[in-house]
Amino acid sequence: MSSLVPEIYGSLVFNDKVMRDKLPKDIYKALRKTIDAGTHLELDVANSVAVAMKEWAVENGATHYTHWFQPMTGFTAEKHDSFISPVGDGEVIMDFSGKELVKGEPDASSFPSGGLRATFEARGYTAWDPTSPAFIKDGTLYIPTAFCSYSGEALDKKTPLLRSMEALSNEAVKVLGLLGQSDVTRVSTTIGPEQEYFLIEKSAYAKRKDLIFTGRTLLGAMPPKGQEMEDHYFGAIRPRVAAFMHDLDEELWKLGIPAKTKHNEVAPCQHELAPVFDTANVAVDHNQLTMEVMKKVADKHGFVCLLHEKPFDGINGSGKHNNWSMVTSKGANLLEPGKTPAENISFLVFLTAVIKAVDEYADLLRLSVASAGNDHRLGANEAPPAIISIFLGDELTEIINAIENDTFFKSKKAQKMDIGATVLPHFFRDTTDRNRTSPFAFTGNKFEFRSLGSSASVATPNIILNTAVAEALSQFYDELKKSKGSIEDAVHKLVKKTIKKHKRVIFNGNGYTDEWVAEAKKRGLYNLKSTPDVLPTFIEKKNVELFTKHHIFTEPEINSRYEILLENYCKTLHIESKTLQDMLYAQFLPTLMKFSDKVSASIEAKERMGLKAKAEKTLAKKLDSAYEELFTYAEKLVEDTDKAETMDDLLKRAYQYHDKILEEMAQIREVADSVEVYFPADLQPYPTYADMLFYV
Ligand code: ADP
Ligand code: MG
């Protein structure tokens, strides 16, 4: 196998090598220019590419093509058309035109639009994104596309991502020009998303309505062994899981996804996969594909892959780590400290731009990871807190402090910008401290945003990050441009000023403590705990200004997305509540009653024999009061859920779900779990935590 890897890698991708082989030279050059420099693509080029793409796809067994897009559901969508085209006499040829490659017209009426598109305007368009390579999956040619409405509003996650990449590139190029790097024509953002997931037995999954309908367990007592033994578990990759991982790697490699690292995670049945980083746009597409392929391959191995943020109460949930940086068209990583003074200037400028961006738009960063599922993790001592802060590490913080207080500069008056040359390389090679509790950590030559949920698209956090940094750079540019004297002096002043203003967002300590919560409050940082708390920040003036200034979202697009997010939250909890009701009425309560009957029968039998049946009576009492409580809570849950559905104000409805429904669901769970432990094995209504997490 190993010798074959280079051969299978990317074998299902219309990649650069295929393009070079299949396309006429001038067409290849034109396409390359579009991909590398973001220039417009002409239709004759598209026609030529379409022919080559179809030829290649058919050679590789494809019969269909699809415009693959990412509507605001957070999932991907596709509609398949075959290549066949009748040519009379009952014969067909395989045909595909540039027009079909460039534009698709799926019926858009069934995708969320948040009021952007009245249903009679069902027309939507998909537009080919040539910067993300097409690929073949299950006999279909997949063409990555952007999705917009008839009147041009973005209905997807790719369009704003591409816009944000462009905004950042434009601003970064301008700043680099002032810093003497005018040969840089473009700056791309790079992402390496680490993906966590659970694998459980398909047979167990099939018997749990909560997992099927909501992705997480709504009931279920902790097993005798939880994750306290995590380190025992760490090394032992079960053979079946190993076989799954092997298959998964191979499938991903074929699709040109550079899956690199895989290991067991802290919780039982939890694992992680990390690819080698790529351009933001491609990495986002790849992460979507990775999640899909994970589910498909799991199925083949008799598993179900759970991507929910919190499938099991009391056990660590799953997230994603979004490793992020910026690379110039010259190949330089702007967050790499580098060795020459000139590079250090740009490093300091871009580092402080990120610090400023994260501080000013912490609310939006928090928003970008908000979901009903992720609310179970953030701030729950397993994932970073809901407070967004930056970890820089001790040495880098010292450097920042030195700049702020002029201490370092004073002692090295003659060569101000040598600051990095002596200190930074030392820091980056030798530092060993790692802070796992920080939501946003500098990790040597990139930032790692760790608050993302495992199931969500990584597009949104990167849209926000790119845009916020673009804004910081835009302000930097204006200021640097105005300044007189040497650029070094101007940068020094700017960096110093920025640090003074935004250092409150830097925190190197333990983010899980109560002291930090109090300290963060003192510093005036946001602590937006739940999804309903954070969503309204989307439509705040400063944020609307940010998005519209950089042409990421128009105001109607913002409003529609805000509405979709609120709706999504409510719908998720609605389904959870309904599922819990169903499990209670159809499974748990009848089981409880059945077991109570058994215990009562045993009490009667014993009393006939003149025995006291003391233990049974204690148990009967417990079961009886649990039944009483559960039944009452369940009725209340039904009532309050119905009430939520009558609320027209979406934000109020979201709060009803958050404050009432979630609370009631938690109460129910507590009671149910406390009696579940008494159920005899043959009466358990569905697989228990032990069955699911400790299968052999
Ligand atoms: P850890 O678990 O220690 O955080 P991993 O190796 O699992 O480290 O993940 C690090 C991720 O960061 C990988 O996906 C890697 O490709 C990515 N990465 C490395 N350099 C960059 C960069 N310049 N930009 C974006 N991502 C990067
Ligand atoms: Mg990591």
Side-chain angles (χ1 to χ4, degrees):
M1 164 74 197
S2 59
S3 63
L4 289 176
V5 174
E7 217 166 285
I8 65 161
Y9 188 82
S11 59
L12 297 176
V13 184
F14 192 73
N15 55 21
D16 191 67
K17 185 179 175 307
V18 181
M19 285 188 231
R20 234 180 306 131
D21 289 353
K22 294 259 173 203
L23 294 171
K25 238 196 186 119
D26 54 325
I27 299 293
Y28 170 75
K29 266 196 189 150
L31 179 59
R32 211 51 261 177
K33 204 169 149 214
T34 295
I35 296 170
D36 297 334
T39 53
H40 184 70
L41 190 112
E42 302 299 333
L43 189 62
D44 60 323
V45 176
N47 273 324
S48 208
V49 176
V51 171
M53 227 186 232
K54 182 214 62 189
E55 225 178 77
W56 168 81
V58 171
E59 272 168 27
N60 284 281
T63 53
H64 289 67
Y65 72 92
T66 182
H67 275 202
W68 185 62
F69 57 104
Q70 301 171 23
M72 291 182 278
T73 54
F75 304 108
T76 57
E78 51 196 70
K79 182 186 99 184
H80 296 213
D81 282 297
S82 72
F83 289 122
I84 65 161
S85 171
V87 286
D89 290 342
E91 290 188 23
V92 294
I93 53 162
M94 300 300 254
D95 198 26
F96 187 50
S97 70
K99 240 174 79 190
E100 287 169 304
L101 167 63
V102 168
K103 190 183 89 179
E105 289 189 37
D107 182 340
S109 58
S110 305
F111 295 103
S113 79
L116 261 187
R117 182 210 52 238
T119 33
F120 56 87
E121 279 179 28
R123 205 183 278 270
Y125 292 113
T126 49
W128 176 35
D129 168 16
T131 62
S132 181
F135 55 91
I136 296 170
K137 194 164 75 87
D138 306 321
T140 294
L141 170 68
Y142 279 70
I143 301 157
T145 58
F147 181 44
C148 65
S149 75
Y150 185 66
S151 38
E153 284 108 354
L155 291 175
D156 69 345
K157 299 198 176 231
K158 186 190 270 282
T159 308
L161 178 70
L162 290 172
R163 290 173 183 165
S164 74
M165 290 167 71
E166 206 169 312
L168 185 131
S169 179
N170 291 342
E171 301 302 336
V173 165
K174 272 165 41 192
V175 169
L176 285 170
L178 291 182
L179 300 182
Q181 297 189 41
S182 43
D183 53 343
V184 172
T185 52
R186 211 173 147 80
V187 169
S188 307
T189 40
T190 50
I191 313 179
E194 303 162 53
Q195 175 75 47
E196 291 180 341
Y197 62 97
F198 278 86
L199 273 189
I200 65 161
E201 289 273 19
K202 200 160 38 173
S203 54
Y205 172 89
K207 292 184 195 129
R208 299 265 336 192
K209 288 188 196 178
D210 45 7
L211 286 179
I212 292 172
F213 293 130
T214 74
R216 74 178 182 106
T217 55
L218 302 173
L219 296 170
M222 280 297 284
K225 175 178 167 184
Q227 76 183 45
E228 63 275 23
M229 302 299 274
E230 63 199 32
D231 26 29
H232 280 177
Y233 248 82
F234 204 84
I237 298 186
R238 297 178 176 95
R240 268 182 66 202
V241 173
F244 158 84
M245 287 178 167
H246 182 91
D247 238 18
L248 176 63
D249 277 345
E250 204 171 308
E251 290 303 314
L252 294 175
W253 290 338
K254 281 189 210 161
L255 292 168
I257 299 173
K260 180 146 175 87
T261 312
K262 53 184 180 185
H263 58 81
N264 279 1
E265 261 301 326
V266 286
C269 296
Q270 193 187 30
H271 315 281
E272 182 185 294
L273 180 141
V276 178
F277 70 97
D278 213 323
T279 315
N281 166 37
V282 174
V284 167
D285 286 358
H286 280 174
N287 182 251
Q288 290 286 3
L289 260 180
T290 299
M291 292 193 285
E292 271 177 52
V293 175
M294 275 178 168
K295 287 185 179 163
K296 201 174 92 182
V297 174
D299 188 66
K300 258 206 284 191
H301 287 258
F303 290 123
V304 171
C305 172
L306 302 178
L307 290 172
H308 193 282
E309 283 74 20
K310 192 73 179 175
F312 304 101
D313 221 37
I315 284 172
N316 266 18
S318 302
K320 261 193 265 241
H321 288 177
N322 188 71
N323 295 275
W324 179 94
S325 192
M326 297 161 278
V327 64
T328 70
S329 48
K330 296 269 147 195
N333 177 356
L334 289 169
L335 293 177
E336 174 71 54
K339 283 175 190 150
T340 64
E343 274 169 9
N344 282 324
I345 292 182
S346 64
F347 168 71
L348 288 173
V349 167
F350 282 85
L351 178 76
T352 37
V354 177
I355 294 171
K356 174 177 160 69
V358 171
D359 187 32
E360 283 177 352
Y361 296 102
D363 51 346
L364 285 179
L365 283 170
R366 170 66 184 90
L367 174 124
S368 77
V369 298
S371 69
N374 214 18
D375 278 0
H376 295 289
R377 300 175 61 241
L378 297 180
N381 285 11
E382 63 173 76
I387 306 161
I388 303 286
S389 65
I390 298 180
F391 170 83
L392 284 184
D394 293 340
E395 277 96 335
L396 200 50
T397 305
E398 259 169 48
I399 292 164
I400 294 283
N401 288 342
I403 296 174
E404 189 199 345
N405 302 316
D406 271 340
T407 46
F408 201 88
F409 287 110
K410 261 181 205 151
S411 59
K412 290 221 170 187
K413 243 181 201 157
Q415 20 173 315
K416 278 181 188 168
M417 285 304 157
D418 272 355
I419 176 168
T422 44
V423 185
L424 295 181
H426 166 75
F427 165 76
F428 289 108
R429 293 220 184 90
D430 291 345
T431 186
T432 46
D433 62 347
R434 272 187 160 253
N435 179 316
R436 290 264 161 213
T437 65
S438 175
F440 204 90
F442 188 73
T443 51
N445 59 1
K446 60 189 187 301
F447 275 101
E448 185 172 1
F449 186 20
R450 297 180 177 141
S451 309
L452 286 73
S454 48
S455 69
S457 159
V458 291
T460 318
N462 289 294
I463 294 169
I464 305 297
L465 203 45
N466 293 347
T467 312
V469 175
E471 172 57 23
L473 290 171
S474 152
Q475 289 181 26
F476 280 8
Y477 175 78
D478 291 344
E479 201 149 332
L480 288 176
K481 207 171 156 234
K482 270 195 320 229
S483 72
K484 299 183 183 73
S486 81
I487 188 72
E488 282 82 6
D489 281 341
V491 165
H492 173 66
K493 248 197 249 152
L494 175 72
V495 168
K496 185 175 161 175
K497 193 176 100 182
T498 311
I499 289 167
K500 256 203 166 58
K501 188 153 171 221
H502 297 291
K503 63 176 179 188
R504 63 171 189 171
V505 76
I506 297 167
F507 175 64
N508 293 324
N510 183 353
Y512 290 171
T513 62
D514 293 338
E515 287 80 48
W516 169 232
V517 177
E519 166 70 17
K521 194 171 170 191
K522 250 198 272 165
R523 294 190 190 183
L525 301 182
Y526 290 102
N527 186 2
L528 298 158
K529 289 203 181 99
S530 71
T531 299
D533 286 346
V534 71
L535 290 186
T537 60
F538 207 170
I539 51 172
E540 265 170 27
K541 191 158 163 271
K542 86 168 169 64
N543 295 334
V544 172
E545 276 168 11
L546 172 77
F547 290 129
T548 49
K549 173 178 171 189
H550 294 279
H551 307 288
I552 310 302
F553 298 121
T554 60
E555 219 170 325
E557 284 174 347
I558 294 169
N559 290 329
S560 77
R561 267 154 218 261
Y562 171 55
E563 198 174 298
I564 289 170
L565 287 168
L566 276 174
E567 254 176 9
N568 195 291
Y569 180 80
C570 295
K571 281 180 187 162
T572 303
L573 289 178
H574 182 71
I575 295 170
E576 287 189 358
S577 168
K578 286 287 197 189
T579 304
L580 181 58
Q581 293 165 27
D582 184 85
M583 286 173 80
L584 282 174
Y585 290 134
Q587 296 181 302
F588 198 89
L589 288 171
T591 302
L592 184 51
M593 175 132 26
K594 200 161 159 189
F595 184 40
S596 288
D597 288 350
K598 273 198 163 178
V599 175
S600 303
S602 155
I603 293 171
E604 272 173 38
K606 281 201 173 172
E607 280 180 338
R608 273 201 300 276
M609 289 157 69
L611 299 169
K612 285 204 178 99
K614 231 174 114 188
E616 284 93 331
K617 282 179 184 163
T618 311
L619 180 58
K621 248 190 219 146
K622 278 192 188 181
L623 298 179
D624 179 60
S625 73
Y627 195 96
E628 189 77 33
E629 269 184 280
L630 283 174
F631 192 82
T632 317
Y633 285 151
E635 298 285 293
K636 181 98 171 57
L637 182 65
V638 172
E639 194 184 300
D640 286 335
T641 306
D642 288 347
K643 190 169 155 206
E645 288 306 292
T646 65
M647 297 176 141
D648 288 331
D649 183 321
L650 274 178
L651 185 59
K652 282 205 182 115
R653 192 191 300 175
Y655 271 114
Q656 165 82 357
Y657 276 113
H658 180 267
D659 297 345
K660 284 258 174 212
I661 309 299
L662 269 180
E663 283 295 307
E664 288 167 17
M665 287 174 61
Q667 268 174 338
I668 288 172
R669 178 172 197 148
E670 203 182 317
V671 179
D673 291 358
S674 74
V675 283
E676 186 202 288
V677 296
Y678 294 111
F679 290 173
D682 64 329
L683 276 191
Q684 288 290 354
Y686 31 69
T688 62
Y689 267 35
D691 299 333
M692 286 185 284
L693 291 167
F694 296 91
Y695 64 88
V696 276

